């Protein structure tokens, strides 16, 4: 099997302790990037993340030798995160991503422009919520228009909003063949997010098992030191023990 890119960690950064425990566990497992979102777009008002205040926690993650990853909603946020982390820990790598709901192509392109300015930063882009191949390909085009080296861009399939057939009761229904077609047409790497696809721990395993039959370049998985206490997406976050089992099953 070719080298897989593994991005794992909590849905959201919640506290210093939670972030640092997760970073140590991720580092032990040689995860490539540890995710922990500072800004959370939510369906309804609720915990929206620690925001700018939380950037220092990601600096601590980088100081431990673990490369951090977080979603950004605006180019200014990308700028702030890059400046702070890469000034304090210049040897660190960093992954920023554009989430499924961020479908304003002016904003997508500006975020890509900011990321393009520093070779230590990678940009991941999730598919839009509704199932449409043309739109998905268009998002990749807008991002590349920002002038970023395509080698630093990773697409991520996280399923599409259910509309009709959904036999496993997924939170978002995957379209593996479409993901493979986009990967082929754009020439970009494509990872799979079984967490936002599955929506529950058993479904995370199920979706990851299905996806292992396709040519994805890696996985983005939500893992929390104590999932039942998670402030967002509690039902789908794995424990580190479950994450180990997921990785073992993929190799089997
Ligand atoms: C997330 O990764 O926590 C997230 C909000 O995902 P998506 O943009 O795929 O809904
Ligand atoms: Mn989440």
């Amino acid at each position: 099997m070719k080298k897989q890119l593994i991005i794992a960690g909590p849905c959201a950064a919640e506290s210093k302790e939670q972030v640092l425990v997760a970073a140590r566990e991720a580092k032990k497992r040689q995860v490539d990037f540890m995710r922990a979102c500072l800004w959370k777009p939510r369906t309804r008002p609720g915990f929206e993340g620690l925001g700018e205040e939380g950037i220092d926690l990601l600096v601590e993650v980088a100081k431990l030798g673990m490369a951090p990853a977080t979603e950004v909603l605006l180019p200014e946020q990308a700028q702030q995160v890059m400046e702070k982390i890469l000034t304090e820990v210049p040897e660190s790598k960093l992954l920023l991503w554009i989430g499924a709901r961020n479908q304003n192509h002016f904003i997508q392109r500006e975020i890509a422009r900011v990321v393009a300015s520093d070779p230590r930063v990678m940009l991941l882009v999730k598919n839009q919520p509704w199932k449409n191949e043309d739109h998905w390909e268009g998002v990749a085009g807008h991002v590349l228009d920002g002038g970023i080296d395509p080698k630093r861009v990773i697409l991520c399939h996280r399923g599409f909003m259910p509309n009709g057939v959904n036999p496993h009761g997924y939170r978002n229904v995957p379209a593996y063949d479409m993901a493979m077609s986009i990967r082929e047409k754009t020439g970009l790497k494509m990872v799979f997010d079984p967490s936002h696809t599955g929506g529950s721990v058993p479904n995370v395993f199920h979706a990851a098992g299905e996806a292992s039959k396709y040519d994805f370049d890696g996985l983005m998985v939500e893992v929390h030191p104590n999932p039942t206490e998670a402030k967002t997406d509690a039902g789908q976050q794995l424990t580190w023990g479950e994450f180990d089992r997921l990785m073992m099953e993929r190799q089997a």
Side-chain angles (χ1 to χ4, degrees):
M1 199 200 250
K2 67 176 179 224
K3 160 90 178 103
Q4 294 273 295
L5 183 80
I6 304 296
I7 304 152
C11 179
E14 298 169 4
S15 68
K16 184 164 182 176
E17 202 206 334
Q18 174 241 18
V19 170
L20 292 185
V21 169
R24 286 193 202 98
E25 296 294 329
K27 189 170 181 208
K28 252 195 258 171
R29 291 161 173 87
Q30 298 180 302
V31 159
D32 295 292
F33 290 96
M34 192 200 82
R35 60 161 291 155
C37 285
L38 300 178
W39 293 276
K40 296 299 309 166
R42 302 301 303 272
T43 305
R44 290 164 191 277
F47 176 69
E48 290 179 0
L50 301 176
E52 200 181 331
E53 307 276 290
I55 300 178
D56 284 339
L57 299 184
L58 299 190
V59 170
E60 295 302 315
V61 172
K63 282 185 181 162
L64 286 175
M66 183 69 243
T70 191
E71 174 173 352
V72 288
L73 295 138
L74 297 168
E76 295 74 23
Q77 293 169 346
Q79 195 87 55
Q80 285 174 328
V81 173
M82 285 165 60
E83 231 166 73
K84 191 115 194 231
I85 296 179
L86 298 173
T87 305
E88 296 215 28
V89 195
E91 69 279 15
S92 186
K93 286 198 281 180
L94 178 61
L95 175 82
L96 299 180
W97 82 82
I98 298 173
R101 300 168 204 223
N102 198 349
Q103 290 305 315
N104 179 320
H105 74 270
F106 293 98
I107 293 178
Q108 293 169 337
R109 195 166 52 221
E110 286 311 310
I111 291 174
R113 268 207 187 111
V114 172
V115 172
S117 68
D118 194 314
R120 293 168 290 185
V121 193
M122 308 272 286
L123 180 65
L124 179 140
V125 188
K126 293 195 170 195
N127 64 259
Q128 77 284 353
W130 58 93
K131 186 174 176 180
N132 182 291
E133 183 160 353
D134 194 40
H135 184 105
W136 195 356
E137 201 183 344
V139 172
H142 286 302
V143 163
L144 292 174
D145 252 14
I148 186 166
D149 178 352
K151 288 196 203 67
R152 290 203 274 129
V153 179
I154 305 159
L155 300 180
C156 176
H157 187 36
R158 44 74 87 201
F160 295 109
M161 205 173 255
N163 177 14
V165 186
N166 187 9
H168 303 294
Y170 283 145
R171 178 176 177 187
N172 290 290
V173 181
Y176 301 113
D177 289 327
M178 193 189 289
M180 290 299 110
S181 161
I182 294 286
R183 181 178 181 273
E184 179 82 29
K185 285 196 271 190
T186 60
L188 299 173
K189 285 198 175 60
M190 173 78 70
V191 302
F192 181 62
D193 174 346
S195 303
H196 294 86
T197 298
S200 68
V201 172
N203 272 352
V204 172
F205 278 87
H206 195 271
E210 285 179 340
S212 66
K213 300 181 185 80
Y214 294 82
D215 201 14
F216 284 101
D217 298 285
L219 284 183
M220 179 191 247
V221 192
E222 287 190 338
V223 191
H224 192 286
N226 190 357
T228 51
E229 309 262 289
K231 291 189 176 168
T232 56
D233 287 347
Q236 70 190 31
Q237 300 207 53
L238 306 184
T239 62
W240 286 102
E242 286 165 338
F243 172 78
D244 291 340
R245 184 154 65 82
L246 188 81
M247 292 294 123
M248 297 271 283
E249 286 179 10
R250 275 168 60 80
Q251 277 155 19

